[in-house]
Amino acid sequence: DTVMTQSPDSLAVSLGETATIYCKSSQSVLYSFNNKNYLAWYQQKPGQPPKLLISWASTRESGVPDRFSGSGSGADFSLTISGLQAEDVAVYYCQQYYTAPRTFGQGTKVEIK
Amino acid sequence: EVQLLESGGGLVQPGGSLRLSCAASGFTFSNYAMSWVRQAPGKGLEWVSGISGSGESTYYVESVKGRFTLSRDISKNTLYLQMNSLRAEDTALYYCAKDREGSSTPRYFDSWGQGTLVTVSS
């Protein structure tokens, strides 16, 4: 299985500052045929199901604020929240969909400092 | 609007069985792969099983192979997860999730239900 490892496990950021979450896969999730990274990011707030933020490593879903951005390629990725807002407090997960079974990172909890 | 409504969870003894259902609406059910993703209390997300839009192909995480069976009834727009030989480690909130794209294999998920809780305990 492809193991997804996120860092850090938690971070506290001041309102308006930038939060960066890292995700490393145990093997590349880049498909050379189409040059796409098979990597998604989700946000989960307490008591709610996950919400898809980003797919293909950097494509933001419709309606997702542009302060959320994804980057990276191969096996190393990041999710950046620029200008953290109070409503961004949540747990964030990366997920690969390149290999079976689909696997998630362990999650990163983002809090307000 | 896409809606996914799970049901069928509950308390079951180790070794017992449950069948989860997910009623889907707001999209053409047969065009999308579907999955079940579970979350143990206080823990992260784990993809459990997926099925192609046609229902011809199913996929499972190793830990549930031979115990869980995923199926779909396109006429009823409903997804089913038959869970047998349940173990304590299967205790979790089970989410039904719709694939974002109309691919034949489950990839990533743009719509989720609220989940149904499965508790395996004596």
Side-chain angles (χ1 to χ4, degrees):
Chain A
D1 296 3
T2 301
V3 177
M4 308 300 289
T5 304
Q6 292 180 227
S7 61
D9 289 334
S10 65
L11 74 162
V13 176
S14 300
L15 288 172
E17 296 300 307
T18 296
T20 301
I21 300 166
Y22 300 94
C23 174
K24 188 175 184 66
S25 56
S26 61
Q27 60 184 283
S28 175
V29 299
L30 172 63
Y31 188 29
S32 57
F33 178 77
N34 57 14
N35 201 37
K36 285 189 168 185
N37 289 284
Y38 285 53
L39 191 284
W41 288 97
Y42 300 86
Q43 174 194 64
Q44 187 178 31
K45 296 181 179 180
Q48 295 184 19
K51 174 187 175 183
L52 177 66
L53 297 177
I54 287 170
S55 60
W56 305 111
S58 60
T59 301
R60 199 181 305 113
E61 279 293 290
S62 175
V64 173
D66 60 7
R67 62 180 180 272
F68 291 92
S69 63
S71 65
S73 185
D76 292 285
F77 301 91
S78 62
L79 174 70
T80 299
I81 311 172
S82 302
L84 190 77
Q85 303 294 306
E87 60 264 32
D88 300 334
V89 168
V91 178
Y92 293 84
Y93 295 92
C94 60
Q95 179 232 328
Q96 66 81 21
Y97 45 99
Y98 185 65
T99 64
R102 309 316 186 199
T103 47
F104 292 86
Q106 80 276 16
T108 294
K109 187 175 186 178
V110 174
E111 299 172 308
I112 304 296
K113 185 187 292 183
Chain B
E1 179 193 3
V2 172
Q3 291 194 347
L4 300 172
L5 184 61
E6 303 98 334
S7 60
L11 174 63
V12 62
Q13 292 189 339
S17 298
L18 278 177
R19 189 177 82 155
L20 306 184
S21 299
C22 171
S25 61
F27 63 103
T28 304
F29 187 59
S30 59
N31 285 358
Y32 292 88
M34 299 289 293
S35 290
W36 288 94
V37 177
R38 67 185 178 185
Q39 188 168 35
K43 302 297 183 182
L45 302 169
E46 180 185 32
W47 178 87
V48 174
S49 182
I51 189 168
S52 61
S54 66
E56 290 183 355
S57 299
T58 53
Y59 311 86
Y60 302 93
V61 70
E62 192 65 34
S63 62
V64 309
K65 281 181 182 176
R67 300 190 299 124
F68 290 11
T69 303
L70 183 56
S71 62
R72 65 195 300 166
D73 186 333
I74 293 173
S75 68
K76 295 182 178 179
N77 282 4
T78 302
L79 185 71
Y80 301 102
L81 184 66
Q82 178 66 44
M83 304 188 298
N84 299 330
S85 303
L86 282 162
R87 306 166 180 168
E89 55 264 36
D90 296 318
T91 294
L93 185 64
Y94 283 72
Y95 292 106
C96 171
K98 168 189 165 292
D99 246 54
R100 172 65 173 80
E101 300 177 359
S103 56
S104 58
T105 58
R107 285 183 171 177
Y108 62 100
F109 320 111
D110 68 336
S111 298
W112 300 64
Q114 291 298 312
T116 186
L117 183 61
V118 172
T119 303
V120 184
S121 175
S122 56

